[in-house]
Amino acid sequence: MKSIKKDIVRAITIIPAIILFSIFIAIDIVLDDWVKDKFDESLTTKSNYLKTLVEVNKNGVEFDFSDEFMPEFSNPKKSQYFQLWVDEKPFERSRSLRAFPEEQLVKQALPINSSKMIDVELPDGRSGRAIMSYFHPQVPKRLRNTVAPFQHTAFFTVTVSDEDFSQALLVLDIVFWLLFFTLIIGIRYLVIAQIDKGLKPLILLNDEIAHLKIDKATSSLSKVPNEHIEIAPIRAELLRFIEFSQQTLREEQRLSADIAHELKTPIAEIISLSELHIQYPDDHRISDTYSQDMLSIAQRMKHIVNNLMMLNQSDEYLLKQQNEHVHLMEQINDILTTIQSTNINALKRVEVTNLLAKTSLNLDIISFNIIISNLINNALFYSPAQSTVDLTITKQDDRKIYIIIQNKLTQPISAEQLQQLFKPLYQIDSARTENQHYGLGLAIVNKLCLLNNYSIEVSQPDQETIQFTLGLNKI
C-alpha cells in the first residue's frame, strides 16, 4: 500500500540530497584544487627565494644560505630538502640530507631558465612534491662591470613533504561529508516532523469518522473554528454527506413505515373478511360481497405495489427513455383525453392557456406523460368539485418552457405539509381513505424530473390555491 508520508519524505530527502551532494562535490574539488595551488605556490616561492641566494662573484659561484633563517631545511623530521648543482656538479645540500648521505634528489633534463614540479618520494620514504629549476646564477649589480654573466649554470631541486597537506585535505573531506550527512538527516527529521504535524488534522478527522454512527441524528463531525484551508473542504463535504445520509436514512425509515402501514390495512381487511366468511359461511351479507371485496382489496394492493415499482424504476433509471420531437399542445391534449377516460369532467374542468403557439420540444414521452398525468390528477382530486384547474404554457427569461398548474384547495395546506408533498407515501389527511391515491404520484414526478433534468416547484399564491411549476428544456 502506498504512503503519502513516505513518498513526500523520500522526495524531499532525495532531491535536496542530490543538490547538496553536487554542491559539496563541487566545493570539495574547488577547495582541493585551491589548497593544492596554494601548496605549490608556497613551494615555488620558497624555491625562488633559494635561487636568489645563488650568486656569481670573482671567485666563482657562491650560495649564501643560512640555516638560522630557514631552520626547516636543517631538521630531517620536517621532511624539507634542497640540493644544488653548479655546472652539472654537486655544489650544496641541505643539512636535513645529512641523514641520507647516499640519497640524491631528483634531477631531470630541463631547458635553461625553466622549472618543473613533480610528485616524488622523499629520502625518508614519505610522499612529497619537488620543484626543479635550471637557470643561470645572477651576478650582483656591483660586480656586473667586472664579472661576465651567463658563464655558469645551476640546477636547484627543492622537495617538501605533502603528508600534512594530504591529511589536511582528508580532514576537510571528513568535515564536509559529516556536514553533508548531518544536513540530510536533519532535513529528513524536520520533514517527518512537519508532515506528522500537517497530517495530524487528517488523523483527528479520521478518528472522528471512525466513531460516526449515521443512524443517530446527533452523530456528526465537529466544526473546527481554525480549520486548515486544505482540510476545510473535506470536512465540509463530509458534513454535507453525513447530513444527506442521515436525511436519506430517515426518509427510508419513514418510507418503510409508510409501506408497512399502507399494506397493513388491506391485509387486515383480508384477514377480517376471511375470518368472518369462515365463521359465518351462510351469512348472505358476507358471502354475497366477499369476492368483490377481496378483488377490490387486491386491486388496491396491486396499485400500491405498481406505484412502488415505478418509483424504484425511476430512481434506478430503469425507465427506457423515448426522446422525440413533439408538439407540446398536442401532447397535453392527448394526456387530457386519456385522463378523461377515468375522470369524466377532466376536459371541462381543465382550462389550458397556451402562450407559446406551435411549440415543439424534444421530450421523453413516457416521463412527460406520467408527470403531467400525475399533476393534473392531483389537481382534480384535491380541488373542489366543478372547480377550474388552470394549466398555463409559458416561457421566461431563461428561455425555458414552463407548465404551470393551479387549482383551488378543498382544505388549507400548511407550509410543513407543502414541503413534504414530494416524499414517497406522504398523504394529507383527506387522501388517506381514498383508494386511488397513495402518496406516490408526486414522488414519481420528482424522480422523473431529476432523471430528465426538469425542474419542479410547488408554492401557494394564497391560502386557497396551490401551484406546481414544471420547467422543461430550453427552446
Side-chain angles (χ1 to χ4, degrees):
M1 185 179 294
K2 291 185 177 180
S3 170
I4 296 176
K5 177 181 175 180
K6 290 182 179 179
D7 290 343
I8 295 176
V9 171
R10 191 181 298 113
I12 297 181
T13 303
I14 291 176
I15 294 174
I18 294 174
I19 296 173
L20 287 175
F21 180 80
S22 302
I23 293 174
F24 273 56
I25 287 293
I27 293 175
D28 187 52
I29 293 173
V30 170
L31 196 58
D32 286 353
D33 291 342
W34 180 80
V35 173
K36 185 177 180 181
D37 290 342
K38 288 298 180 182
F39 179 83
D40 290 345
E41 183 180 337
S42 174
L43 181 59
T44 302
T45 302
K46 188 172 290 189
S47 174
N48 289 337
Y49 173 73
L50 291 173
K51 284 161 59 177
T52 61
L53 301 179
V54 182
E55 296 181 349
V56 179
N57 54 31
K58 295 178 180 181
N59 299 321
V61 176
E62 181 183 11
F63 182 52
D64 188 14
F65 174 77
S66 176
D67 293 327
E68 296 177 359
F69 298 104
M70 302 186 75
E72 62 269 25
F73 289 104
S74 300
N75 189 354
K77 295 181 179 179
K78 295 292 185 179
S79 298
Q80 295 192 28
Y81 311 94
F82 70 78
Q83 186 170 356
L84 174 64
W85 291 266
V86 174
D87 296 331
E88 304 301 327
K89 298 178 181 179
F91 186 84
E92 188 73 29
R93 287 160 59 95
S94 64
R95 184 177 296 181
S96 55
L97 280 174
R98 291 178 182 177
F100 312 99
E102 302 298 327
E103 295 291 337
Q104 298 289 323
L105 297 185
V106 62
K107 183 175 181 293
Q108 297 180 358
L110 294 176
I112 194 68
N113 293 327
S114 65
S115 62
K116 182 180 181 181
M117 193 174 295
I118 61 172
D119 293 322
V120 295
E121 182 180 342
L122 301 181
D124 57 4
R126 300 183 185 182
S127 63
R129 297 274 288 173
I131 181 169
M132 300 174 293
S133 302
Y134 188 46
F135 59 97
H136 292 288
Q138 64 180 349
V139 178
K141 189 175 182 180
R142 67 181 184 277
L143 301 175
R144 289 179 181 174
N145 293 327
T146 58
V147 178
F150 310 120
Q151 56 181 313
H152 300 283
T153 60
F155 194 98
F156 209 106
T157 300
V158 180
T159 61
V160 177
S161 173
D162 63 357
E163 285 190 355
D164 293 339
F165 160 73
S166 299
Q167 290 178 356
L169 289 180
L170 179 62
V171 171
L172 188 63
D173 288 342
I174 292 173
V175 171
F176 262 62
W177 290 114
L178 284 177
L179 180 61
F180 170 76
F181 287 112
T182 302
L183 284 174
I184 295 303
I185 293 172
I187 290 172
R188 185 177 180 86
Y189 173 78
L190 290 175
V191 168
I192 292 174
Q194 289 300 314
I195 291 176
D196 288 339
K197 183 179 179 181
L199 291 177
K200 188 175 181 180
L202 278 177
I203 295 173
L204 294 176
L205 180 62
N206 183 66
D207 291 339
E208 287 188 73
I209 295 172
H211 292 88
L212 281 178
K213 294 183 179 179
I214 302 299
D215 58 339
K216 291 185 178 180
T218 57
S219 179
S220 184
L221 297 177
S222 60
K223 294 184 179 180
V224 180
N226 297 322
E227 184 67 274
H228 292 76
I229 191 172
E230 295 83 6
I231 307 297
I234 300 175
R235 186 178 291 273
E237 287 300 315
L238 282 173
L239 284 170
R240 185 191 63 79
F241 176 74
I242 291 169
E243 292 172 357
F244 175 77
S245 299
Q246 289 173 342
Q247 180 182 356
T248 302
L249 181 61
R250 289 193 294 269
E251 290 295 327
E252 293 293 334
Q253 290 172 341
R254 187 195 64 81
L255 180 60
S256 299
D258 287 344
I259 291 173
H261 176 75
E262 291 295 329
L263 295 179
K264 182 180 179 180
T265 300
I267 291 172
E269 292 175 355
I270 291 174
I271 293 173
S272 298
L273 284 174
S274 298
E275 288 177 346
L276 288 173
H277 186 61
I278 293 171
Q279 188 173 0
Y280 306 104
D282 298 329
D283 191 335
H284 293 286
R285 291 174 300 175
I286 299 173
S287 60
D288 289 348
T289 60
Y290 177 77
S291 299
Q292 187 61 39
D293 291 339
M294 293 295 286
L295 178 62
S296 178
I297 295 170
Q299 288 177 340
R300 174 178 170 83
M301 292 179 66
K302 178 183 177 182
H303 197 75
I304 293 173
V305 171
N306 286 341
N307 279 287
L308 286 171
M309 291 177 64
M310 183 177 294
L311 178 65
N312 182 64
Q313 287 175 338
S314 62
D315 190 32
E316 297 181 3
Y317 305 97
L318 296 177
L319 286 174
K320 185 177 180 180
Q321 290 181 296
Q322 297 180 2
N323 288 346
E324 58 181 84
H325 282 278
V326 297
H327 190 277
L328 190 58
M329 192 61 211
E330 292 180 359
Q331 191 64 30
I332 291 177
N333 286 333
D334 291 342
I335 295 172
L336 290 173
T337 302
T338 304
I339 295 175
Q340 175 71 16
S341 62
T342 56
N343 193 325
I344 300 175
N345 295 323
L347 291 176
K348 294 180 180 179
R349 293 183 57 192
V350 178
E351 290 189 2
V352 179
T353 303
N354 184 12
L355 302 179
L356 302 173
K358 299 181 181 179
T359 299
S360 61
L361 284 177
N362 186 276
L363 297 171
D364 173 29
I365 301 300
I366 296 177
S367 298
F368 183 75
N369 288 349
I370 294 173
I371 291 170
I372 298 299
S373 298
N374 274 287
L375 292 177
I376 293 176
N377 279 323
N378 272 354
L380 293 171
F381 176 75
Y382 288 106
S383 59
Q386 308 305 320
S387 64
T388 301
V389 174
D390 295 321
L391 189 151
T392 305
I393 303 172
T394 185
K395 183 180 70 170
Q396 294 184 4
D397 295 337
D398 58 1
R399 296 180 59 201
K400 276 189 176 182
I401 294 178
Y402 289 89
I403 297 177
I404 303 172
I405 298 176
Q406 276 190 3
N407 63 274
K408 296 294 181 180
L409 292 170
T410 54
Q411 63 179 29
I413 297 178
S414 65
E416 182 180 355
Q417 289 176 320
L418 200 67
Q419 294 177 356
Q420 306 292 326
L421 288 181
F422 291 111
K423 293 184 177 180
L425 290 176
Y426 178 79
Q427 300 179 60
I428 58 175
D429 294 338
S430 62
R432 290 196 178 276
T433 57
E434 174 63 33
N435 290 333
Q436 299 299 322
H437 291 263
Y438 310 100
L440 290 169
L442 291 180
I444 294 172
V445 168
N446 189 42
K447 293 291 183 181
L448 291 176
C449 286
L450 291 174
L451 174 64
N452 290 276
N453 295 320
Y454 300 157
S455 62
I456 183 70
E457 296 178 358
V458 59
S459 60
Q460 279 189 285
D462 54 63
Q463 290 296 323
E464 298 179 353
T465 307
I466 188 170
Q467 174 178 301
F468 289 89
T469 304
L470 174 65
L472 302 177
N473 300 325
K474 294 181 180 179
I475 297 179

